[in-house]
Amino acid sequence: SLMQTVNLAKKIAGSCVPVLISGESGTGKELISYVVHHNSTRSQGPFVKVNCVALSETLLESELFGHEKGSFTGAFSQRKGRFETAHCGTLLLDEISETPLRFQAKLLRVLEQQDLQRVGSNDNIKIDVRIISTTNKDLPREVAEGKFRQDLYYRLCGIRLVIAPLRQRAEDLPDLIWHFVNLYAGQVHRRINRLDPAMMELFTKYHWPGNIRQLRNVILTSLILGIGETLA
């Protein structure tokens, strides 16, 4: 269940071991990563997220490692990277499996040596960052197929958490629904004190391809379009 995963995340938070969180899109990987950070000794430090899908290889390097003024076209000033920003905190590498192999080699060097060079600089900058990575792919298979570096996989996978899709966690549905009801009911000026049994039966049988993210959107729509104190 989700609560078991949350409790496990809290349990492993105390160490500084890297964590790899696997699960389908929308299962709550980012939420779990924040639980790890919030319950760690680094909770007073920054929590910095990088979406690896959204950035090209060049931008990934600049975003993570920073750059010096004039190091490439458009680098009009010196910029600290996300590693420096996350110093003494946690860095979330979201969808790490989408990074190119050449970049993976540079990332591995930074993780092993705990220092980095900004793009366009030869100066080493020491960093102290806990890494949490997420992926919606089967990384061991990606490694076997040569799409992801094995040495980087072992470096990132100090502890691996696998979040099951919502269709396999029907027991979590009531708690999740009430969570979203409590989150959004006030915004749409509705008081909900009951969940429609027919709706719950339908929800239990549905396969939820968008997982928790889809459930949240369905609940919000139901709150906006419905009337009365029963969510249907």
Side-chain angles (χ1 to χ4, degrees):
S1 73
L2 186 62
M3 283 315 299
Q4 287 174 317
T5 309
V6 167
N7 289 334
L8 185 57
K10 289 178 179 176
K11 194 172 181 179
I12 65 176
S15 75
C16 284
V17 173
V19 180
L20 177 66
I21 305 172
S22 303
E24 291 180 11
S25 181
T27 46
K29 298 188 294 293
E30 188 175 341
L31 168 69
I32 296 299
S33 68
Y34 185 73
V35 169
V36 173
H37 169 75
H38 186 68
N39 288 277
S40 74
T41 55
R42 296 170 177 264
S43 59
Q44 300 305 308
F47 178 75
V48 178
K49 175 187 171 184
V50 178
N51 183 349
C52 298
V53 180
L55 300 168
S56 67
E57 183 173 349
T58 306
L59 285 175
L60 261 174
E61 287 187 41
S62 171
E63 198 67 32
L64 279 169
F65 309 145
H67 62 251
E68 297 296 336
K69 181 178 179 180
S71 55
F72 57 88
T73 304
F76 299 117
S77 61
Q78 184 193 71
R79 184 184 178 190
K80 286 185 177 181
R82 300 291 180 96
F83 266 104
E84 285 183 77
T85 310
H87 187 65
C88 294
T90 304
L91 180 63
L92 170 61
L93 299 174
D94 198 22
E95 300 304 349
I96 186 69
S97 49
E98 301 306 311
T99 54
L101 286 166
R102 202 167 65 117
F103 172 79
Q104 290 173 22
K106 294 177 181 178
L107 178 60
L108 178 66
R109 193 206 73 82
V110 169
L111 297 180
E112 286 184 335
Q113 299 186 14
Q114 287 290 291
D115 67 25
L116 58 82
Q117 294 176 349
R118 292 188 191 131
V119 177
S121 170
N122 294 320
D123 296 331
N124 287 348
I125 299 166
K126 295 298 292 180
I127 50 161
D128 174 13
V129 173
R130 195 222 189 127
I131 300 292
I132 302 178
S133 313
T134 71
T135 180
N136 59 17
K137 291 187 176 175
D138 181 344
L139 264 193
R141 182 186 294 170
E142 296 283 299
V143 168
E145 293 175 356
K147 296 175 183 174
F148 198 86
R149 289 182 66 107
Q150 185 177 48
D151 45 11
L152 179 59
Y153 170 72
Y154 287 126
R155 169 63 64 173
L156 296 172
C157 189
I159 297 172
R160 187 180 178 203
L161 291 177
V162 180
I163 308 179
L166 189 54
R167 62 184 171 276
Q168 295 176 10
R169 296 172 7 213
E171 71 276 11
D172 284 337
L173 274 169
D175 286 343
L176 287 167
I177 291 167
W178 280 114
H179 169 72
F180 291 128
V181 165
N182 292 332
L183 201 60
Y184 297 121
Q187 294 179 21
V188 297
H189 310 294
R190 279 186 73 186
R191 181 198 289 278
I192 301 293
N193 58 25
R194 181 174 175 269
L195 305 178
D196 186 311
M199 179 194 76
M200 287 304 300
E201 187 178 352
L202 191 67
F203 278 15
T204 302
K205 291 176 180 174
Y206 185 59
H207 65 289
W208 298 107
N211 291 297
I212 295 174
R213 186 181 294 128
Q214 183 184 11
L215 177 67
R216 178 194 64 194
N217 293 342
V218 168
I219 299 305
L220 183 54
T221 302
S222 301
L223 286 167
I224 292 169
L225 299 180
I227 55 170
E229 297 187 350
T230 299
L231 186 75

